[in-house]
Amino acid sequence: MKRSATLSLVLVAGAGAGAFALARLDASQRDEDVLVYRTLDACIADRVRSAQACTDAEAAARAAYAASAPRYETLADCERHHGRGGCVPGAMVTPAAQGRTLPVMAAFMMGRTDEQDLPVQPLYAHAPEEEQPHAAHGGGTAGGFCTGSGGRVVYAGGGSRAHVPATVARGTTSTPRIIARGGFGGTGRAVAAAGSGHGSGGG
């Protein structure tokens, strides 16, 4: 092998090792183990977290939902992203959303332990046709969930557990986003996911 080729290989290998090292230092590049539940009862029944932790998390998610759920101009725009039956008039959730359409809070996401110090987040159904434009139209959560900031949470095998990038797990928003047609999906962040265990938080 020529010397120049050998040198190139060394430089490429060095750059890869450097990127790997930086990723280990950068907390935003890590995955977080999270729990996703559709209901408070499912969280309590799962027994991963205490009943009190579940109750507090569900209440925090509902409070954040009213304040930060994405706002759509029309029902059609909202259902295009969140599925048929996945949206309600904004005034049903909060007077501040009068005249807009909001996705239904389909689930809530919380950390597996207190030590993770993850913020609780409301989640919204992500219509499967957002992933597959030519798929048959349908509602539900077969396409997984979205956070208020556009992060995706998708299970690989159902259950309440998932792994999401730290940027999704910690990427809360306190200001509602006004979503133009097609905008929410276009900015949705990639995801991770692998489910196992119990509970009904799968999508």
Side-chain angles (χ1 to χ4, degrees):
M1 182 179 294
K2 294 182 178 180
R3 184 171 182 277
S4 59
T6 302
L7 181 59
S8 296
L9 286 174
V10 170
L11 290 174
V12 168
F20 179 74
L22 286 174
R24 292 189 65 182
L25 293 174
D26 183 356
S28 68
Q29 301 301 309
R30 292 197 307 256
D31 282 354
E32 296 276 4
D33 290 329
V34 298
L35 300 171
V36 176
Y37 297 105
R38 292 181 185 173
T39 66
L40 172 59
D41 287 345
C43 181
I44 294 172
D46 203 23
R47 297 187 177 184
V48 176
R49 302 298 307 270
S50 69
Q52 188 60 56
C54 290
T55 301
D56 292 346
E58 197 267 350
R62 292 219 169 269
Y65 168 51
S68 64
R71 273 66 164 158
Y72 291 83
E73 296 285 351
T74 68
L75 176 64
D77 288 345
C78 185
E79 289 192 337
R80 188 172 294 111
H81 187 78
H82 300 288
R84 189 162 38 199
C87 302
V88 294
M92 289 180 61
V93 178
T94 171
Q98 176 76 39
R100 305 284 188 179
T101 300
L102 272 59
V104 172
M105 183 179 130
F108 62 97
M109 180 169 69
M110 63 191 296
R112 292 199 65 190
T113 66
D114 284 338
E115 288 70 27
Q116 286 177 277
D117 196 27
L118 291 180
V120 174
Q121 295 190 56
L123 299 179
Y124 313 102
H126 188 85
E129 55 268 38
E130 281 283 312
E131 298 288 324
Q132 302 171 5
H134 302 296
H137 201 74
T141 55
F145 299 99
C146 308
T147 66
S149 58
R152 292 287 320 281
V153 180
V154 180
Y155 288 99
S160 61
R161 296 158 179 80
H163 304 289
V164 300
T167 50
V168 172
R170 300 179 184 278
T172 60
T173 177
S174 58
T175 304
R177 302 171 64 201
I178 306 300
I179 308 298
R181 181 175 177 174
F184 196 93
T187 58
R189 202 181 177 296
V191 191
S196 64
H198 308 289
S200 60

